[in-house]
Amino acid sequence: MSIQLAESNFQILGCFPVISQLRPHLDQVKFVEQVQYQMKEGYKLAFLEVEKQAVAVTGFRISTCLASGKFLYIDDLVVDEFKRSHSYGQQLFQWLIEYARNHDCKHLSLDSGVQRFAAHRFYLTQRMSITSHHFSMEL
């Protein structure tokens, strides 16, 4: 088992089967191109690999704002639905915390859909707090 940043096209594409479970609207053909585009804006993709297969994937970025200072924001965090209950999510989450600390972040945050009750239980178990409501509108 190892956790690493996806840097090659092969590694990025290897994350698709897992991340598409969270983001089913993604197109496999355009996935690598989309991730590479986002990487130019600071997005990083990391994966937990077991037996040469990604079983948990996270997409994140480091940013700074007036409200929080420097922080790590988790865009995506998902464990393969057939590999859950093996602590892979917790291991990847702990890796994100260490990554944030090693990059001098003061906070780690994410948004989660209101319907994702299992994810909310996981985040609360990881000692996260619900600190705000996220509002949005399509344009």
Side-chain angles (χ1 to χ4, degrees), residues 3-103:
I3 299 174
Q4 56 190 304
L5 291 172
E7 296 174 337
S8 70
N9 290 350
F10 179 77
Q11 289 174 319
I12 294 169
L13 192 57
C15 293
F16 182 80
V18 177
I19 206 159
S20 65
Q21 293 174 26
L22 178 66
R23 309 283 184 225
H25 65 280
L26 293 175
D27 176 47
Q28 185 173 0
V29 174
K30 297 178 183 176
F31 180 67
V32 172
E33 181 181 332
Q34 179 66 36
V35 169
Q36 287 176 336
Y37 176 80
Q38 288 180 211
M39 284 178 164
K40 292 176 186 173
E41 298 179 334
Y43 180 82
K44 299 194 180 303
L45 190 65
F47 61 99
L48 187 151
E49 183 178 61
V50 175
E51 298 175 2
K52 298 186 179 184
Q53 181 179 0
V55 297
V57 176
T58 186
F60 64 96
R61 62 191 74 237
I62 292 177
S63 189
T64 306
C65 70
L66 294 174
S68 302
K70 190 172 183 182
F71 64 97
L72 186 146
Y73 181 81
I74 302 170
D75 290 291
D76 318 289
L77 179 60
V78 60
V79 176
D80 185 309
E81 62 186 337
F82 301 109
K83 305 286 184 175
R84 293 187 182 148
S85 299
H86 291 93
S87 77
Y88 298 140
Q90 183 176 12
Q91 290 174 55
L92 191 54
F93 192 81
Q94 290 303 312
W95 182 90
L96 285 163
I97 291 170
E98 287 304 310
Y99 190 95
R101 287 181 175 147
N102 290 337
H103 289 82

Side-chain angles (χ1 to χ4, degrees), residues 129-133:
S129 299
I130 301 170
T131 59
S132 66
H133 293 283

